[in-house]
Amino acid sequence: MLSGLVASLPGTHLTAWIRVLRTTDAPDELTESRLIAAHPGADLGPRAALLLSSWTATDPQLPGTALALALEAVSNRYEQDLASHHVDIAVSGPISDTVPVRLTASVAIEVIRSATSTLLVTSYAAFGIQEIVNEIRAAADRGVSVDLVLETARCAGGKLYGEIDGRNAFHELRFHADVHLWQWANDERRGPGGQRGSMHAKVIAADRGTVLLGSANLTDNAYNDNLEIGAVIRDPTAVANLVDHFKALMHSDDSPLVRLPWARKP
């Protein structure tokens, strides 16, 4: 159970939980709420409940300090194993106690935090995901150059229904000099079949060494409710090729990707 929990929690949440457990004598009725309040977000309620029920069922006399130590040991081993992997699976939605997997939100946050110079983020739909917006802002604040490639609404020439697109989700970053918006140019969207294409890629690439690819859009539903699958890849050659592909689409003579204004023209 602990290995699955460690794999599914963002590192900052796990650290906050360990702090709480170090000051907890037993799994009483307040412990679950203290865990959730220590670092809100990432759909922690079910995981806090699972930890408390397992603690109670295994040994309710076990002090919180011992459980905190066990979580630290499992976390250290997990980080060692992770460093030796080139590919890891990330999921949203239902999880299995049999196969430890990582949550999409946890992996996305980890990849964004690992960026030191560049960050490429693409999505078809984007709304909500305040944690991700906060992490992107933090990356830009530490000097990371951020490229956001988003689909636009149909009224702006894109394929999303309605009048709202991903610009709304990132609107608070509009004045940040290191955050750049891109779109697939409307007159470049005709495919070989004659149909207008969608900007459907879902990518979070940190520098030129780590990338999260998957089915999940940058939405609260995709990160918390939908059944989504992704993979985080740590391969400098492959990731550099992916990043260079998007750079070429942005900076070629006939660039299909062009700068997107923060506000939609009336």
Side-chain angles (χ1 to χ4, degrees), residues 116-136:
T116 60
S117 59
T118 62
L119 183 65
L120 171 68
V121 180
T122 79
S123 187
Y124 175 71
F127 54 84
I129 43 97
Q130 188 59 48
E131 277 191 291
I132 300 299
V133 175
N134 293 343
E135 293 295 339
I136 291 175

Side-chain angles (χ1 to χ4, degrees), residues 1-2 5 17 21 35 47-55 67:
M1 188 278 295
L2 291 184
L5 186 65
W17 279 23
L21 292 172
L35 290 172
R47 288 161 185 81
L50 175 62
L51 178 63
L52 267 293
S53 63
S54 299
W55 185 3
L67 185 56

Side-chain angles (χ1 to χ4, degrees), residues 32-251:
E32 182 176 336
S33 60
R34 289 182 63 210
L35 290 172
I36 295 173
H39 200 315
D43 193 25
L44 296 182
R47 288 161 185 81
L50 175 62
L51 178 63
L52 267 293
S53 63
S54 299
W55 185 3
T56 302
T58 303
D59 185 358
Q61 302 304 314
L62 184 73
T65 52
L67 185 56
L69 183 62
L71 278 173
E72 281 189 305
V74 173
S75 177
N76 290 336
R77 176 58 185 270
Y78 178 77
E79 292 298 330
Q80 292 173 4
D81 291 343
L82 194 63
S84 66
H85 293 172
H86 293 294
V87 180
D88 287 290
I89 301 303
V91 305
S92 300
I95 59 175
S96 167
D97 292 336
T98 304
V99 180
V101 291
R102 305 195 66 199
L103 295 181
T104 303
S106 304
V107 174
I109 290 171
E110 178 184 279
V111 172
I112 295 170
R113 287 182 178 175
S114 72
T116 60
S117 59
T118 62
L119 183 65
L120 171 68
V121 180
T122 79
S123 187
Y124 175 71
F127 54 84
I129 43 97
Q130 188 59 48
E131 277 191 291
I132 300 299
V133 175
N134 293 343
E135 293 295 339
I136 291 175
R137 184 199 298 109
D141 286 346
R142 63 177 181 266
V144 174
S145 179
V146 180
D147 288 312
L148 295 174
V149 185
L150 303 174
E151 179 59 290
T152 51
R154 285 178 180 263
C155 58
K159 298 296 289 286
L160 290 172
Y161 287 100
E163 298 184 357
I164 297 176
D165 54 40
R167 284 174 285 189
N168 283 49
F170 298 101
H171 194 63
E172 64 190 72
L173 305 181
R174 64 193 182 281
F175 297 123
H176 206 300
D178 287 322
V179 179
H180 317 287
L181 280 180
W182 300 84
Q183 66 174 325
W184 190 1
N186 297 329
D187 57 358
E188 295 284 344
R189 289 176 177 244
R190 294 291 179 188
Q195 300 296 315
R196 295 185 72 251
S198 299
M199 207 311 294
H200 210 250
K202 292 96 174 180
V203 172
I204 300 178
D207 303 324
R208 298 166 63 81
T210 304
V211 65
L212 170 62
L213 303 173
S215 62
N217 284 303
L218 288 172
T219 69
D220 289 335
N221 282 346
Y223 275 31
N224 298 317
D225 304 317
N226 296 352
L227 202 168
E228 309 273 2
I229 297 294
V232 58
I233 302 170
R234 301 173 186 84
D235 184 320
T237 300
V239 177
N241 286 339
L242 183 150
V243 171
D244 286 344
H245 171 69
F246 274 91
K247 291 295 184 184
L249 296 181
M250 294 172 182
H251 302 295

Side-chain angles (χ1 to χ4, degrees), residues 17-32:
W17 279 23
I18 289 173
R19 284 199 301 266
V20 169
L21 292 172
R22 284 174 177 162
T23 61
T24 303
D25 295 326
D28 57 32
E29 64 276 6
L30 296 178
T31 304
E32 182 176 336

